[in-house]
Amino acid sequence: MASEAEVAASAKIIDGKMVAKEIRDEITTEVSRMKDAIGVVPGEDSAETEVLKFISDFNDDPAVHGILVQLPLPKHMNEQNILNAVSIEKDVDGFHPLNIGRLAMRGREPSFVPCTPKGCIELLHRYGFQIKGKKAVVIGRSNIVGMPAALLLQREDATVTIVHSRTQNPEQIVKEADIVISAVGQPDMVRGTWLKPGAVVIDVGINPVEDATCPRGYRLVGDVCYEEARKVVSAITPVPGGVGPMTIAMLLSNTLSSAKRIHNFQ
Ligand code: NAP
């Protein structure tokens, strides 16, 4: 019988990347064959005009209380045209420029606030962390997370700094923050040494990192090095199990608000 060492030495490496490429090549061949034979290409191949028509119908249908556009869109569609077509009254994602504009303006109320940043603020509220007068740093300035998170913190009277990919000395800036919201997409980028003792950290990042001990071969980590950070800060969201579930909860909350508004239900 082979020894353990011999078995280990001869063990096959199961290369998922290679197998996936083989499968994609097989699919390409089959798709060409199908197209040549019956003129059909499988998949969703809607024209932008068709999507706009669907959105228009949903806008007019009182039984539809919220409309979500799954991003990114295929390359042949104009993201701006599609997002702008969603009625502001049903924009439960809160991405419509009018909603973002209202979020940015003093004295204006957006119909909906984007779900992930709204979830971050809701966590701060529900845990009783004061925002007013605090120094807050948002890492990332995307339209869907970083930018609206910064606007929300400002509305709550925090003094807000935004750190992005061109920011110099980000660690020095982050170190001043009482509240850090990170939405970057870089695993463990924010080290414990970047954080002010006692700060509150909301980690939006969801980043897969290889881990052979996990059944899927990877695990999810945040932008903030959790093990280092938790020794320094007063509170931190884990990844997974922090902001992610809040995003879904806020989407439900926005859809409920929309339904109440449409049906004039207090
Ligand atoms: P994104 O559109 O790629 O934006 C990333 C932002 O991070 C950009 O503003 C970029 O700066 C900045 N950035 C990149 N590298 C940086 C660096 N080294 N230092 C400082 N800033 C840097 O990403 P996103 O859609 O906002 O998502 C960010 C993360 O949040 C991802 O991990 C995503 O999976 C996660 N996410 C989680 C949820 C949830 O429900 N928990 C929801 C949405 C997203 P520039 O603007 O200069 O390029």
Side-chain angles (χ1 to χ4, degrees):
M1 206 168 97
S3 71
E4 244 177 68
E6 281 166 340
V7 171
S10 63
K12 272 207 166 66
I13 311 261
I14 299 172
D15 187 343
K17 202 172 160 188
M18 185 194 70
V19 176
K21 179 163 185 328
E22 273 174 18
I23 294 170
R24 285 202 312 272
D25 290 345
E26 287 162 16
I27 291 171
T28 305
T29 308
E30 278 299 281
V31 167
S32 302
R33 198 169 68 80
M34 201 170 156
K35 188 179 173 193
D36 292 346
I38 57 171
V40 172
V41 177
E44 186 190 306
D45 197 17
S46 318
E48 187 175 313
T49 48
E50 285 176 85
V51 175
L52 289 171
K53 168 83 173 70
F54 271 111
I55 292 176
S56 168
D57 291 348
F58 289 149
N59 283 342
D60 295 339
D61 183 348
V64 174
H65 303 128
I67 302 171
L68 285 179
V69 178
Q70 179 69 49
L71 300 176
L73 291 168
K75 285 194 182 67
H76 65 279
M77 289 190 201
N78 182 310
E79 183 179 306
Q80 200 169 316
N81 289 348
I82 305 273
L83 289 181
N84 288 359
V86 175
S87 152
I88 190 168
E89 302 305 329
K90 296 189 179 180
D91 172 38
V92 286
D93 255 341
F95 294 156
H96 193 290
L98 258 181
N99 270 327
I100 296 289
R102 288 179 184 168
L103 188 65
M105 291 170 79
R106 298 196 71 153
R108 303 290 178 92
E109 286 302 322
S111 302
F112 300 101
V113 171
C115 300
T116 301
K118 184 178 176 184
C120 297
I121 303 298
E122 189 69 20
L123 283 174
L124 294 173
H125 283 169
R126 297 224 175 190
Y127 274 79
F129 295 117
Q130 196 186 326
I131 303 176
K132 189 176 186 164
K134 298 291 180 188
K135 280 189 183 172
V137 167
V138 178
I139 319 177
R141 57 177 170 179
S142 69
N143 286 344
I144 62 168
V145 193
M147 179 266 288
L151 292 174
L152 278 171
L153 285 165
Q154 186 169 263
R155 280 176 89 92
E156 302 256 346
D157 294 326
T159 304
V160 186
T161 307
I162 299 175
V163 166
H164 50 76
S165 67
R166 310 297 157 86
T167 302
Q168 295 186 0
N169 302 322
E171 54 270 53
Q172 279 174 22
I173 296 166
V174 174
K175 186 101 187 178
E176 296 206 344
D178 304 303
I179 298 168
V180 178
I181 296 183
S182 184
V184 175
Q186 300 277 347
D188 293 341
M189 183 185 88
V190 179
R191 315 302 307 213
T193 52
W194 290 33
L195 297 162
K196 178 175 172 178
V200 175
V201 176
I202 306 290
D203 191 352
V204 183
I206 303 177
N207 310 299
V209 292
E210 277 185 25
D211 187 339
T213 64
C214 296
R216 285 178 297 186
Y218 70 91
R219 67 196 157 85
L220 297 176
V221 301
D223 295 338
V224 180
C225 181
Y226 184 80
E227 285 308 314
E228 291 177 9
R230 70 191 187 94
K231 295 177 187 140
V232 180
V233 301
S234 63
I236 181 168
T237 55
V239 177
V243 176
M246 288 301 292
T247 299
I248 298 160
M250 293 301 103
L251 184 56
L252 294 176
S253 160
N254 278 356
T255 307
L256 175 62
S257 306
S258 175
K260 283 181 173 174
R261 208 159 30 216
I262 288 168
H263 297 284
N264 204 13
F265 179 81
Q266 303 298 323

